[in-house]
Amino acid sequence: MIRKILIANRGEIAVRVIRSCHEIGIETVAIYSEADRTSPHVLKATEAYCVGPAPSSESYLNVEKILEIIQISGADAVHPGYGFLSENAKFADTIAKMGVVWIGPPSDAIITMGDKMAARELAKKVNAPIIPGTTEPISSLDKAIKIADKIGYPVLIKAAGGGGGKGMRIVQSAQEIEDAINRAKSEAGKAFSDDRIYIEKYLEEPHHIEIQVFADNHGNVVSFGERECSVQRRYQKIIEETPSPFIDDKLRKQLNETAINITRECNYIGAGTVEFLVDKHKNLYFLEMNTRLQVEHPITEMVNQIDLVKEQIRVADGKQLSISQNEIHPKGHAIECRLYAEDGFNNFAPSVGNILEMDIPQGLGIRLDDGIRTGQEISPYYDPLLGKLISWGNTRKEAMARMIRALSEFHIVGIETTIPFCKMFIQHPRFQNGDYGTKTLEEIKEELLETLREYSDDLNVAASIGAIQKNLLTDQSSASNFTETKQISNWATSGRKDNLR
Amino acid sequence: MKFQAIIDEQILNFDVEQTACGLDISFNDNNLDADCRPLTSNSFSLILNGKSHYLTITENDNSFEVTVDQHTNLVKVKDETELLLDKFGFSDSDEDHAGEIHAQIPGLVTQIYAEIGSSIEKGQKLFILEAMKMENEISSPVSGVVKNILVEIGLPVEKNDLIMEIEI
C-alpha cells in the first residue's frame, strides 16, 4: 500500500501529481533545485527537499541525491512525471531494487520502446505499419547520403534516444544533409547523452495522432481513445484535441487495435502513449511509444471522466485497472492549449522574467493545470512549459468557444506566453473547420501575424491612454509615494470588530 | 498637459487634465469619454466610449508595453518637457541603435557565424544562442558590416547583453 510518493519532477506535472495524491490521502515529497525553492510544487507538497543547484544535470537529473532524499523522506514510491528521469530505465531499476515502487512501466519496456530502432522491430512483429527508413544508426555521412537518396527527399534526421523535437531536422536536398546531421547530433548529445541518429522518409501533410493506452499486471490492456496533436511548432505540440476531427470510426478502430497490440507485445504496465502519423490518404504509420504520462493527458481524462494519475498509482500498487474496455465510452469534446513562456508571434522565442500578475480563467468546463504563481521568476534553466488550459464541451463547437472565452480572460503580466497565439489559432477557419495538419501552423503563421497587426484606431487610443495613465502614476509614485491599494479590507475590519466584542 | 503617444510609427496627440474623479482626456481636440482605473500596479480597467477593456502595462526602457484585449504594442509616451526637448533637437534617435544585436534571453552562445569586418545581409544567421534546452538561431535585423563582436563561444550571456554591433 503506497503511503508517500516522491515526485521526481517540477512545474505543472509535479503539481498535477501532487493534487491526485492528496485527494486519496497519499503524502507527497517534492524535490527542488535552488532556483525552484518557492515554485508551486514545493509550496503544495507535504514535504520538500533541495536536490541541488539550478542546472537540471545537477538537480532533477541528480540520481544519487534523489535516492538519498527517497531514504531521508521515507517515500515508498516514486512518480517521475514526464521528461527528466521518466524514461530512464536504469533509474527505474535502481528504485525497484531499493524496494520502492516505481510508478511507471517496467524497465524492459522503457528500454525497448525508448530505443526507436528496437521499437520499430517490435512494431513489425505485430504487423503495425512503419515509416520507410533505417533500422540501424547511421555510421557515416557517405552512408547517410546513400540512404537518403534511396528513400527519396525530403528525409527526416532523428535522434535515436530523442523526443520532444530535440535533435530532429528535415532535409530537403543532399547539400543540406551534412549541416543537419551535425546539428542534430550536437543537440541530441547534449539533451540525451546519446548522439546516435537515424534517417526516415518524411511524410508530407501528415497528422500526428496518438492513442492513450493503459495496462495492469493482471493482463488487462485498454485504450482510452485518440488525441489529435497536429498543431505543432518545432515538432512540439501546442494544441491538442480529442476526438480528432480528421479520422473516421474505421481508422479509429484500427489505431486503437494497433496500439493495444504494441502495448501487449512489449509487456507494458501502466500509462503509455502510442504515437502514429496518419497521411492525407488516411494510411497510418507507427511512430513511437512514450513510456510515461504525456503532457496532454488531461484531454483524455476530461472526455473519459477518469483520473489517469490515480490509475497509475492503483496499477503500481498491484491492483487492477478500475475500468474495463467495454466501460470506456468517451463523452463530449476536449481541447488543450499549452502555455509556453514563448512569444508566439516572434518565432516562439523563449521569454524569461518575473510573473508580475496572473488573472486566471474559470467557469464551467475549464481546467487549468499549471505550475506558476504571481511573483515567480521564470528562469532559463528548464522547459518553457508553464501549464495547460483545458476546455471541455458537449460538442467540438462548444469546446472551442469555451476555450476562446477562457483564453480571452487569461492575463499573465511580466513574460510573453502563447495565450494570444493559441486564441488566434483556434479562431482561424482552418482550426474551426477541423481542417489542419502538422504543416498548418507554418502555413498560417504569417496570416495570423497580419491579423495581429490590424490594429484598430480604438485599440491604439486605448493603449495610449493606458500608457499615459501609467506614466502619470509612475511619476506620482516617485514624487509622493502614491499607492492605490490603501483601502482597508472589510474582512480585516470585521475581524478587528470581533476582537472588541 | 500635452502628451504624445507613439505606436508603430503612428503619432497620437492627447490633452490630459487630472480631475478629482480621474482623467479628462481630449484626442485630436475631441473630448473622449474615458475612465481608466488601476487594478494593480500593472493592470488597468479602461472604459472607452462605453466599451470595457482590460489593459496590462509594463515599463520597458523608456516605453510601455501595453496589452489591450491581448493585442500587445510598445507605446512611447512623451510629456511636455520631452516634446520641448524634441523641438530643439535634443532627442535620442532609435535609428542610432538599429545595428546593435542584444541577447533577448539569457543563454549560452554556442556558434558565431560572422567575423569582424564581414558583410551581413538582413536575415542572415549571426549566431546560436542556446536557452531552455533549444538552439535558437539569431539572424540579423539589418544589412551592414560587422563592427564589433562582444562575446565568445561557450560563454553565458545575460538578457539585454550587447552581442554584436553592425554598421549599417
Side-chain angles (χ1 to χ4, degrees):
Chain A
M1 179 78 184
I2 295 170
R3 287 200 173 81
K4 191 191 271 189
I5 297 177
L6 179 139
I7 297 118
N9 217 301
R10 65 177 300 283
E12 69 89 17
I13 192 61
V15 172
R16 161 75 191 86
V17 173
I18 289 169
R19 283 177 172 152
S20 287
C21 290
H22 289 182
E23 284 175 21
I24 49 177
I26 290 176
E27 293 195 326
T28 52
V29 179
I31 58 169
Y32 62 91
S33 73
E34 284 162 15
D36 270 333
R37 167 62 186 83
T38 55
S39 292
H41 75 286
V42 178
L43 309 182
K44 288 186 165 67
T46 328
E47 294 173 34
Y49 298 85
C50 184
V51 71
S56 306
S57 56
E58 296 170 52
S59 51
Y60 299 103
L61 293 172
N62 184 346
V63 171
E64 213 173 297
K65 184 77 188 166
I66 294 170
L67 296 178
E68 196 185 308
I69 297 172
I70 293 171
Q71 278 179 330
I72 297 170
S73 65
D76 48 20
V78 172
H79 194 300
Y82 53 70
F84 294 129
L85 297 167
S86 63
E87 286 162 290
N88 184 321
K90 218 175 133 197
F91 181 64
D93 249 357
T94 314
I95 298 290
K97 278 190 192 127
M98 284 169 76
V100 172
V101 177
W102 167 252
I103 305 175
S107 58
D108 288 349
I110 301 179
I111 292 169
T112 311
M113 303 318 277
D115 186 323
K116 289 183 182 172
M117 290 164 240
R120 282 165 69 99
E121 290 304 317
L122 186 133
K124 275 188 194 167
K125 263 196 228 163
V126 296
N127 294 320
I130 53 170
I131 303 162
T134 55
T135 46
E136 300 276 308
I138 303 161
S139 51
S140 73
L141 185 65
D142 280 355
K143 212 169 168 190
I145 293 171
K146 264 184 211 147
I147 292 164
D149 279 342
K150 200 174 134 205
I151 299 172
Y153 289 94
V155 296
L156 197 62
I157 309 277
K158 293 174 83 176
K166 274 147 203 151
M168 214 189 260
R169 290 279 183 285
I170 305 175
V171 183
Q172 300 288 351
S173 66
Q175 286 100 303
E176 295 171 18
I177 202 160
E178 184 172 0
D179 186 45
I181 287 177
N182 289 338
R183 290 276 292 281
K185 269 181 176 287
S186 139
E187 258 185 45
K190 272 180 220 152
F192 325 109
S193 320
D194 177 0
D195 72 349
R196 290 177 307 147
I197 50 163
Y198 72 112
I199 296 183
E200 66 182 32
K201 172 81 185 154
Y202 180 67
L203 300 179
E204 292 177 79
E205 288 182 58
H207 278 248
H208 187 125
I209 295 172
E210 61 187 27
I211 301 289
Q212 175 72 55
V213 291
F214 221 119
D216 61 21
N217 53 9
H218 300 267
N220 301 306
V221 181
V222 300
S223 159
F224 283 105
E226 84 274 9
R227 292 185 287 256
E228 167 73 62
C229 305
S230 296
V231 186
Q232 301 185 355
R233 54 98 181 84
R234 294 191 209 112
Y235 308 106
Q236 269 188 314
K237 300 156 194 165
I238 177 161
I239 299 171
E240 302 97 349
E241 64 176 317
T242 185
S244 164
F246 177 68
I247 64 173
D248 52 32
D249 283 344
K250 189 179 152 223
L251 182 55
R252 183 167 287 124
K253 193 165 168 254
Q254 208 184 341
L255 286 164
N256 282 321
E257 282 171 4
T258 311
I260 286 177
N261 289 343
I262 288 170
T263 309
R264 274 198 200 283
E265 184 65 28
C266 69
N267 300 316
Y268 202 82
I269 295 169
T273 298
V274 183
E275 298 196 332
F276 296 94
L277 284 179
V278 179
D279 71 12
K280 58 178 178 182
H281 311 292
K282 304 212 162 136
N283 295 312
L284 66 91
Y285 298 93
F286 166 72
L287 195 59
E288 62 180 353
M289 181 169 188
N290 292 310
T291 55
R292 52 171 157 83
L293 195 66
Q294 295 275 95
V295 174
E296 59 275 22
H297 75 276
I299 54 173
T300 301
E301 295 185 320
M302 297 309 280
V303 296
N304 285 293
Q305 291 294 295
I306 194 158
D307 184 329
L308 291 174
V309 171
K310 285 183 192 167
E311 292 299 318
Q312 281 189 301
I313 297 169
R314 272 182 77 93
V315 166
D317 231 349
K319 298 189 187 101
Q320 289 202 34
L321 276 165
S322 71
I323 192 166
S324 63
Q325 190 68 63
N326 57 19
E327 294 170 307
I328 296 174
H329 306 290
K331 185 176 175 294
H333 200 97
I335 303 173
E336 172 183 278
C337 288
R338 296 194 186 188
L339 313 170
Y340 286 110
E342 291 178 347
D343 184 352
F345 296 104
N346 181 18
N347 275 320
F348 295 93
S351 171
V352 294
N354 196 290
I355 298 182
L356 300 172
E357 261 157 52
M358 263 172 44
D359 203 348
I360 284 169
Q362 281 157 354
L364 182 62
I366 287 298
R367 163 177 173 183
L368 179 66
D369 277 25
D370 67 332
I372 52 169
R373 62 168 176 85
T374 307
Q376 189 180 337
E377 192 72 28
I378 301 304
S379 70
Y381 297 108
Y382 313 111
D383 194 272
L385 186 69
L386 305 172
K388 294 119 50 176
L389 186 67
I390 302 109
S391 75
W392 181 90
N394 279 303
T395 59
R396 184 169 189 266
K397 207 174 159 194
E398 187 178 48
M400 288 192 295
R402 198 164 265 165
M403 179 57 88
I404 292 165
R405 183 274 290 171
L407 288 168
S408 307
E409 289 177 2
F410 207 161
H411 305 281
I412 295 181
V413 189
I415 52 165
E416 300 289 340
T417 72
T418 45
I419 293 170
F421 181 89
C422 287
K423 185 179 151 194
M424 287 182 71
F425 196 93
I426 290 179
Q427 284 172 323
H428 193 276
R430 292 286 298 273
F431 190 88
Q432 289 284 318
N433 299 330
D435 167 30
Y436 65 90
T438 48
K439 292 282 168 198
T440 310
L441 191 148
E442 271 308 308
E443 286 162 12
I444 66 169
K445 211 169 71 181
E446 283 304 311
E447 193 186 329
L448 294 181
L449 214 58
E450 284 299 309
T451 321
L452 189 77
R453 289 198 193 105
E454 280 170 17
Y455 223 64
S456 72
D457 286 348
D458 257 16
L459 287 185
N460 273 346
V461 170
S464 302
I465 293 172
I468 291 168
Q469 172 77 279
K470 172 86 177 161
N471 191 51
L472 285 167
L473 288 176
T474 313
D475 287 352
Q476 279 169 358
S477 81
S478 49
S480 65
N481 217 355
F482 175 89
T483 61
E484 67 274 6
T485 52
K486 280 211 172 130
Q487 289 172 342
I488 299 166
S489 131
N490 285 336
W491 288 107
T493 322
S494 85
R496 266 174 229 133
K497 278 181 194 151
D498 284 347
N499 286 341
L500 291 174
R501 271 179 207 147
Chain B
M1 271 182 291
K2 290 201 183 310
F3 278 98
Q4 198 173 70
I6 303 154
I7 301 183
D8 225 9
E9 291 169 8
Q10 257 195 73
I11 296 174
L12 293 88
N13 290 303
F14 293 88
D15 214 323
V16 179
E17 292 306 323
Q18 279 187 285
T19 65
C21 51
L23 301 178
D24 188 11
I25 303 174
S26 302
F27 171 54
N28 289 342
D29 295 327
N30 293 317
N31 205 282
L32 289 177
D33 185 9
D35 181 9
C36 187
R37 304 283 173 103
L39 303 171
T40 62
S41 50
N42 298 97
S43 58
F44 294 79
S45 160
L46 170 67
I47 300 176
L48 178 62
N49 298 325
K51 242 189 123 185
S52 176
H53 300 281
Y54 192 109
L55 275 61
T56 60
I57 307 177
T58 49
E59 268 188 89
N60 195 335
D61 288 333
N62 55 354
S63 53
F64 296 98
E65 205 175 293
V66 186
T67 305
V68 189
D69 305 337
Q70 291 176 332
H71 283 253
T72 303
N73 240 326
L74 273 186
V75 185
K76 200 168 171 153
V77 175
K78 289 183 177 174
D79 61 18
E80 272 170 14
T81 327
E82 285 163 300
L83 288 172
L84 217 59
L85 285 173
D86 269 9
K87 208 170 155 188
F88 293 105
F90 292 111
S91 66
D92 181 28
S93 167
D94 286 343
E95 281 161 27
D96 300 344
H97 303 294
E100 294 178 1
I101 318 293
H102 293 266
Q104 290 175 329
I105 40 169
L108 202 68
V109 174
T110 55
Q111 277 281 8
I112 300 177
Y113 297 109
E115 288 170 23
I116 294 177
S118 54
S119 295
I120 296 292
E121 292 293 318
K122 187 177 173 179
Q124 191 175 329
K125 60 182 174 182
L126 295 176
F127 55 91
I128 288 178
L129 187 61
E130 199 180 290
M132 285 175 161
K133 301 191 289 179
M134 293 299 296
E135 294 189 353
N136 302 285
E137 228 172 60
I138 311 296
S139 40
S140 180
V142 294
S143 298
V145 175
V146 178
K147 197 170 79 180
N148 212 346
I149 298 175
L150 296 104
V151 293
E152 279 174 49
I153 290 176
L155 289 184
V157 292
E158 290 299 318
K159 188 178 178 175
N160 291 330
D161 275 2
L162 185 59
I163 293 186
M164 234 178 242
E165 285 180 284
I166 296 170
E167 201 161 325
I168 303 164

